[in-house]
Amino acid sequence: NANDFVAVQAGKPDVVNNELGFRDREIPPKSPDRYRIAVVGDSFTWGQGLRAEERFSNVVGARLGPQFEVFNFGENGTTNHLTQLARMLPTSPDFVLLQLYITSFETREMQRPTPYPLAPLAFDAELQQASMLYDLLSIQWTSLQSDLGLVERYDHYMTRNLRNPNSPNARRSLDDLRAFIERVRQAGLPVAI
């Protein structure tokens, strides 16, 4: 609704972090009569530009009903899923869902193309966090810069770094994913990606 859009535009989305530092409610002790699902991921999981109740984790939790509880362990920005996992496991989940986006395969060593921001840098990051509309416009602005040859296209950058499965970046990405799956399994939990 228009009022929600204005609140988000004013930089006042409902971003409340729990004591673990994740954008979710406080996590109570595990109840044996409730199945606990932990959703781990990046800014899509975190819910960039969305109110908490609009996020995937909240929608799923509401639809599953009271015998389930779904907690969001997403983080905005560059994400280390293994670090998130270490912080999440003590909450005693019954199931772990890792939400991945193509950016999840980027490594620290990869140098992402840097387009010119749509707004001055002082406002760009705040607007991206607060406004899905700004995010969409920024994506189009970045695409235009790629089309004009002002910046490397994102798909070219990813192909250059990850196409060869034996390249250092591809191996590191897959090793990190395998390590995540293995740590969840070592905890005796099912995992889906």
Side-chain angles (χ1 to χ4, degrees), residues 43-109:
S43 60
F44 285 95
T45 304
W46 183 86
Q48 182 172 337
L50 298 175
R51 292 177 296 149
E53 66 270 13
E54 297 172 323
R55 299 178 309 165
F56 171 81
S57 56
N58 295 70
V59 172
V60 168
R63 291 195 178 182
L64 286 175
Q67 67 275 23
F68 293 88
E69 52 187 1
V70 180
F71 289 99
N72 189 309
F73 294 90
E75 289 185 304
N76 202 11
T78 305
T79 305
N80 182 325
H81 300 308
L82 292 170
T83 301
Q84 288 172 291
L85 182 64
R87 291 170 48 209
M88 176 274 299
L89 282 174
T91 67
S92 305
D94 296 299
F95 181 82
V96 177
L97 173 62
L98 174 60
Q99 286 187 297
L100 292 179
Y101 185 66
I102 189 71
T103 57
S104 298
F105 295 99
E106 291 178 280
T107 67
R108 289 186 193 117
E109 291 75 21

Side-chain angles (χ1 to χ4, degrees), residues 106 111-115 142 146 151-154 157-158 160:
E106 291 178 280
Q111 187 66 32
R112 187 184 279 195
T114 308
T142 299
S146 295
V151 67
E152 181 181 22
R153 292 174 49 100
Y154 186 78
Y157 150 79
M158 292 296 281
R160 178 172 50 82

Side-chain angles (χ1 to χ4, degrees), residues 8-55:
V8 170
Q9 295 298 14
K12 299 177 184 174
D14 62 335
V15 178
V16 177
N17 292 335
N18 60 27
E19 66 181 18
L20 294 175
F22 293 104
R23 182 186 176 196
D24 210 333
R25 63 198 182 280
E26 292 301 331
I27 301 171
K30 176 75 171 93
S31 170
D33 60 336
R34 297 186 84 189
Y35 191 82
R36 182 170 284 180
I37 299 170
V39 183
V40 176
D42 60 13
S43 60
F44 285 95
T45 304
W46 183 86
Q48 182 172 337
L50 298 175
R51 292 177 296 149
E53 66 270 13
E54 297 172 323
R55 299 178 309 165

